[in-house]
Amino acid sequence: MSAETVSVTGWGRTAPTTARLIRPRSYEEAAAAVRGCGARGGIARGLGRAYGDAAQNAGGAVLDMTGLDRVHAIDAAGGTVLCDAGVSLHRLMRVLLPLGWFVPVSPGTRYVTVGGAIGADIHGKNHHVSGSFSRHVLSFELLTADGEIRTVARGTPLFDATTGGMGLTGVILTATVQLQPVGTSLMSVDTERARDLDDLMARLSATDHQYRYSVAWIDLLARGAATGRAVLTRGDHAPLDALGTRARRDPLAFRTPRFPAMPAHLPERLLTRTSVGLFNELWYRKAPRARTGQLQSLAAFFHPLDGVPHWNRVYGRGGFVQYQFVVGYGQEETLRRIVRRLSRRRCPSFLAVLKRFGDGDPGWLSFPMPGWTLALDLPAGLPGLGALLDELDEEVAAAGGRVYLAKDSRLRPELLAAMYPRLDDFRALRAETDPHAVFVSDLSRRLSL
């Protein structure tokens, strides 16, 4: 087990803090690391794709769990996998696709660990059909503050506190996950343009049930009659008979294109309203008005940015804030007001996506709830950004919505209870299972979790 003092930040590259980074290589070393965390406690970390401060711990310990990355067992008939928490979704895809299985839920990057997927209760383009990641987790092993390893089954309070609990109930060591069967490694994709936000919401409401995966890119710089114009992309795993002769020779091949990495230092003002506006105009215009049945690779459909290593550097040294919220069905006017407000402010976001969520999941701090979710990236140095997002938080909370803790870096703690009704239950379970606050993060301190 190695350890060093390093500066740690989230994927948004804002607010770095210094911690002792520990790399356990066995369950015994992980237990020893937990016992030796010290007065400032510790928090588990995977591949560092939480955008904010969830996997940081100023002055304390951070446990890098990527060294625990064994795939222990695959039930190729029943479609389950037992693996270490440090296994990435990328590796699972490489191992499982040749057997005709795919991960049940994937976010916008495959470079997240299974432990991180459970701790953040990640969601993907299929939440309206499949729910979040925890819905497909059968059980996991959890290293708790007392040094014990517990097998945690679905339907128990500890399961529900851990799924979405941001690593604050313990260190996930292994998990058993139910998988999604697939016949090929290609996607059959339909694409269409929506002229404005109302047109987009109408299209999603009318036909989303026909697709397993659905997502819309929104142009937040469009104004007037075009406010909220979007490109809507939906699809499902392509069947074998949809493939051409060449593709049928190896229908489950997993190909992941890779482009040059972003330079370490880019100009701070690279993403201006002008440059992002030009990108958004070109992106919208190049999209087909309506196209059906296009075959795309899994990487192109699910993880287009993964092909560009360190793409987060495009925002410069100041980093960026990703803001994601959800408001329930019936609160469409709240979504309209927020989109109009962002459009009027000319917020330079080239990554803005709208999705529909299905039924909520049992995690006490799980983010998804039935409704509309909008996620956007904004340069952290944008003038007035903090005040704007604080105001949006108030509007989201007043509408009964919430923000996503795995992407948060600046939410005020007084709004948390309104957004997460099971917050008191979560705090009570933490007080019972971790009375000496062994598991702590910058996020937990900031929000008094």
Side-chain angles (χ1 to χ4, degrees):
M1 179 169 58
S2 63
E4 61 180 322
T5 299
V6 298
S7 178
V8 181
T9 186
W11 190 245
R13 304 175 75 203
T14 59
T17 55
T18 300
R20 188 163 48 98
L21 186 68
I22 304 172
R23 297 183 176 90
R25 299 296 176 181
S26 66
Y27 307 148
E28 293 77 16
E29 289 187 354
V34 168
R35 289 193 296 269
C37 278
R40 294 286 287 181
I43 193 71
R45 181 182 177 93
L47 288 167
R49 292 305 178 103
Y51 285 80
D53 53 5
Q56 299 173 215
N57 182 23
V62 172
L63 278 64
D64 180 342
M65 298 300 294
T66 56
L68 296 174
D69 62 351
R70 290 172 296 174
V71 176
H72 294 279
I74 299 171
D75 180 354
T80 61
V81 61
L82 168 62
C83 63
D84 283 344
V87 173
S88 69
L89 299 191
H90 172 83
R91 183 161 174 229
L92 281 185
M93 292 175 193
R94 286 205 173 280
V95 170
L96 296 170
L97 271 168
L99 304 176
W101 297 99
F102 190 62
V103 295
V105 171
S106 178
T109 174
R110 60 187 178 273
Y111 294 112
V112 298
T113 62
V114 170
I118 295 170
D121 200 14
I122 61 169
H123 56 272
K125 300 174 183 179
N126 59 340
H127 189 277
H128 63 292
V129 173
S130 302
S132 60
F133 196 84
S134 67
R135 192 179 299 186
H136 308 273
V137 176
L138 304 181
S139 65
F140 53 79
E141 288 184 308
L142 187 71
L143 173 62
T144 50
D146 56 9
E148 297 295 318
I149 297 177
R150 307 188 191 187
T151 299
V152 183
R154 295 178 62 172
T156 61
L158 190 53
F159 187 98
D160 293 343
T162 302
T163 54
M166 306 311 299
L168 297 172
T169 61
V171 178
I172 299 169
L173 297 177
T174 70
T176 302
V177 182
Q178 183 70 54
L179 304 169
Q180 166 70 35
V182 294
T184 73
S185 62
L186 294 175
M187 302 294 297
S188 177
V189 181
D190 295 352
T191 305
E192 58 192 281
R193 288 192 216 164
R195 64 180 179 273
D196 57 30
L197 182 60
D198 284 341
D199 182 32
L200 172 62
M201 289 194 293
R203 291 169 187 256
L204 284 166
S205 298
T207 58
D208 239 17
H209 64 279
Q210 300 173 12
Y211 297 88
R212 178 176 295 276
Y213 302 98
S214 178
V215 68
W217 169 88
I218 294 184
D219 181 2
L220 288 180
L221 287 175
R223 293 187 289 181
T227 299
R229 69 178 181 178
V231 177
L232 177 56
T233 306
R234 296 179 288 189
D236 207 337
H237 298 280
L240 185 60
D241 59 13
L243 273 58
T245 303
R246 171 182 279 184
R248 288 194 194 191
R249 294 173 188 164
D250 193 2
L252 291 167
F254 183 44
R255 299 181 177 89
T256 54
R258 197 166 180 85
F259 303 99
M262 283 287 175
H265 303 296
L266 288 168
E268 292 295 314
R269 299 295 295 165
L270 182 63
L271 296 182
T272 64
R273 291 183 176 91
T274 300
S275 62
V276 174
L278 177 61
F279 171 87
N280 287 2
E281 182 69 27
L282 292 173
W283 190 261
Y284 181 77
R285 294 297 176 189
K286 84 174 186 64
R289 294 184 181 277
R291 180 178 61 199
T292 61
Q294 183 193 29
L295 293 179
Q296 293 184 8
S297 69
L298 292 169
F301 184 77
F302 287 104
H303 318 117
L305 287 175
D306 280 349
V308 184
H310 306 295
W311 66 262
N312 56 340
R313 293 175 179 170
V314 74
Y315 292 89
R317 292 183 180 179
F320 69 100
V321 172
Q322 176 151 124
Y323 184 69
Q324 183 170 7
F325 69 88
V326 57
V327 292
Y329 296 123
Q331 292 292 333
E332 285 77 12
E333 188 54 38
T334 299
L335 176 62
R336 293 187 185 98
R337 283 197 303 270
I338 290 176
V339 170
R340 288 196 297 264
R341 190 168 184 176
L342 293 167
S343 177
R344 287 195 301 268
R345 284 288 300 267
R346 304 284 289 160
C347 290
S349 175
F350 72 93
L351 289 175
V353 296
L354 181 73
K355 293 181 288 194
R356 281 166 50 93
F357 279 158
D359 292 340
D361 297 282
W364 293 347
L365 297 186
S366 183
F367 169 67
M369 55 180 275
W372 304 90
T373 180
L374 177 66
L376 58 146
D377 290 351
L378 294 167
L382 192 68
L385 178 61
L388 171 64
L389 296 183
D390 283 348
E391 292 167 3
L392 296 188
D393 289 342
E394 297 275 1
E395 190 158 3
V396 168
R402 59 185 61 144
V403 300
Y404 191 16
L405 297 183
K407 297 182 176 179
D408 176 58
S409 58
R410 23 77 41 211
L411 178 68
R412 301 196 313 273
E414 59 267 26
L415 292 177
L416 199 61
M419 294 180 172
Y420 289 91
R422 300 297 300 272
L423 178 61
D424 285 345
D425 294 329
F426 179 80
R427 285 172 169 159
L429 184 140
R430 279 202 72 208
E432 178 184 345
T433 60
D434 187 7
H436 303 295
V438 171
F439 299 112
V440 186
S441 65
D442 291 353
L443 174 81
S444 73
R445 290 191 185 94
R446 176 168 56 84
L447 295 178
S448 300
L449 286 171

